[in-house]
């Protein structure tokens, strides 16, 4: 029986513990490290509830000993992540790969001073990764092709669905797509076109139902008897006009009272102390949908 390689996870917050669950369920020995014992205790309790056991430690050297793959999950601040890289460098195996869960920091900046930069890359999960399988892989100018290929294989082996960026733009792919939709949703509320609840209906009862199974390009391809080519001929001008309209009327809603209005609307239907239960419900529904997709 082949023993799967050890994985070390640095940072035991929501993302770190979710990675721990994924790797442990896939049969990897897992060490989860955090400097905060209380954070480790919370992560350990959560993982125990999920039926898995991992090594919990505040000792970076202990966590990294024998690890073939390391996933860094520290706060989204460049100085914290670079300090973490400097601390773990002496303990990192010479052939170990390091992935960073960063959501926005560009790999050329993130790994510029890392002595292991040829074996490092961005491995940005969708939150939480044990529920949503899409993971973005973004290499720096130093990342070797072998590192990228091995990381892609590893992600696939634990049930993730990796997408490889050919070039890096701020926000990568998932957050850029999300930003386009979210910014327009904010604008629609700011301009009084629809209330927050109606915007959510437009996504959950229309776009989201299709996009759970097929992406926007396949949606357009299937919505035309002549495929995407005819769709583009028929509706391309409309989408181009909408693109110009969206740019022209951007109200800068994030710097107005719109966020507060949306927050008030959300709290009217979901008190803050009910968030954890609703998050658990969300995760359960997504997992049920994933199970359905797996049968198709």
């Amino acid at each position: 029986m082949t023993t799967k390689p050890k994985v070390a996870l640095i940072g035991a917050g929501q993302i770190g513990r979710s990675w721990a669950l994924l790797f442990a369920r896939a049969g990897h020995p897992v060490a989860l490290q955090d400097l905060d014992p209380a954070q480790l205790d919370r992560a350990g309790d959560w993982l125990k509830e999920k039926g898995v056991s991992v090594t919990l430690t505040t000792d970076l050297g202990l966590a990294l000993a024998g690890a073939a793959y390391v996933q860094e999950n520290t706060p989204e601040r460049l100085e914290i992540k670079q300090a973490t890289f400097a601390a773990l460098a002496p303990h990192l195996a010479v052939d170990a790969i390091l992935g960073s869960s960063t959501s926005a920091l560009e790999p050329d900046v993130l790994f510029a001073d890392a002595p292991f930069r040829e074996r490092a890359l961005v491995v940005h999960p969708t939150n939480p990764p044990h529920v949503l399988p899409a993971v973005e892989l973004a290499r720096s100018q130093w990342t070797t092709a072998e590192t990228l290929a091995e990381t892609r294989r590893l992600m696939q082996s634990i049930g993730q669905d990796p997408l490889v960026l050919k070039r890096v733009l701020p926000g990568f792919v998932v957050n850029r797509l999300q930003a386009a939709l979210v910014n327009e949703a904010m604008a629609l509320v700011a301009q009084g076109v629809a209330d927050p609840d109606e915007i959510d209906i437009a996504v959950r009862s229309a776009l989201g139902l299709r996009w759970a199974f097929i992406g926007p390009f396949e949606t357009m391809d299937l919505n035309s008897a002549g495929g995407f080519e005819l769709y583009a001929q028929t509706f391309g001008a409309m989408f181009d006009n909408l693109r110009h309209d969206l740019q022209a009327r951007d109200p800068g809603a994030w710097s107005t009272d719109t966020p507060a209005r949306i927050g008030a609307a959300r709290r009217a239907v979901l008190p803050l102390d009910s968030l954890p239960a609703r998050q658990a419900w969300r995760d359960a529904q997504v997992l049920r949908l994933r199970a359905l997709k797996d049968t198709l």
Side-chain angles (χ1 to χ4, degrees), residues 144-277:
T144 66
E146 292 78 13
T147 294
L148 178 62
E150 180 58 31
T151 304
R152 187 171 187 270
R153 285 193 294 268
L154 177 64
M155 290 298 119
Q156 290 174 325
S157 76
I158 64 171
Q160 295 299 88
D161 197 5
L163 60 105
V164 178
L165 276 68
K166 290 182 169 56
R167 56 184 290 238
V168 175
L169 290 175
F172 311 134
V173 172
V174 174
N175 279 333
R176 289 181 74 89
L177 291 172
Q178 181 172 242
L181 180 61
V182 169
N183 283 334
E184 176 58 13
M186 293 286 290
L188 291 170
V189 173
Q191 295 187 342
V193 176
D195 290 333
D197 287 348
E198 277 65 43
I199 302 298
D200 279 353
I201 289 173
V203 176
R204 72 170 183 256
S205 297
L207 299 176
L209 285 177
R210 287 190 299 219
W211 288 354
F213 294 89
I214 57 176
F217 294 133
E218 187 175 0
T219 294
M220 291 181 280
D221 195 42
L222 298 179
N223 276 357
S224 171
F228 182 83
E229 297 85 350
L230 181 59
Y231 190 98
Q233 293 172 19
T234 306
F235 297 106
M238 178 195 75
F239 278 100
D240 201 38
N241 288 334
L242 283 174
R243 176 176 63 87
H244 290 293
D245 180 64
L246 293 174
Q247 293 172 340
R249 67 181 189 81
D250 179 8
W254 291 100
S255 57
T256 68
D257 68 344
T258 305
R261 289 166 52 199
I262 294 173
R266 289 302 308 150
R267 296 292 69 77
V269 297
L270 185 71
L272 276 179
D273 59 7
S274 297
L275 277 175

Side-chain angles (χ1 to χ4, degrees), residues 125-136:
T126 312
N127 187 14
H130 75 281
V131 174
L132 299 170
V135 58
E136 298 177 299

Side-chain angles (χ1 to χ4, degrees), residues 31-189:
L32 180 59
Q33 185 271 345
D34 200 290
L35 294 177
D36 182 358
Q39 183 84 291
L40 283 174
D41 287 342
R42 288 190 293 270
D45 290 343
W46 183 83
L47 289 165
K48 186 176 181 180
E49 290 174 3
K50 301 295 184 183
V52 302
S53 177
V54 307
T55 299
L56 303 172
T57 181
T58 58
D59 188 319
L60 192 58
L62 178 63
L64 294 171
Y69 180 79
V70 179
Q71 183 77 24
E72 171 270 318
N73 314 284
T74 60
E76 189 73 4
R77 288 171 52 188
L78 179 62
E79 66 275 16
I80 292 178
K81 291 187 181 295
Q82 289 185 330
T84 300
F85 298 156
L88 64 80
H91 307 285
L92 195 65
V94 294
D95 56 350
I97 293 173
L98 181 133
S100 173
S101 293
T102 181
S103 300
L105 297 173
E106 297 185 20
D108 278 1
V109 176
L110 186 61
F111 302 120
D113 298 322
F116 47 82
R117 60 190 185 185
E118 74 282 356
R119 294 178 283 116
L121 72 168
V122 167
V123 182
H124 172 229
T126 312
N127 187 14
H130 75 281
V131 174
L132 299 170
V135 58
E136 298 177 299
L137 308 184
R139 60 194 295 185
S140 74
Q141 61 181 297
W142 306 285
T143 308
T144 66
E146 292 78 13
T147 294
L148 178 62
E150 180 58 31
T151 304
R152 187 171 187 270
R153 285 193 294 268
L154 177 64
M155 290 298 119
Q156 290 174 325
S157 76
I158 64 171
Q160 295 299 88
D161 197 5
L163 60 105
V164 178
L165 276 68
K166 290 182 169 56
R167 56 184 290 238
V168 175
L169 290 175
F172 311 134
V173 172
V174 174
N175 279 333
R176 289 181 74 89
L177 291 172
Q178 181 172 242
L181 180 61
V182 169
N183 283 334
E184 176 58 13
M186 293 286 290
L188 291 170
V189 173

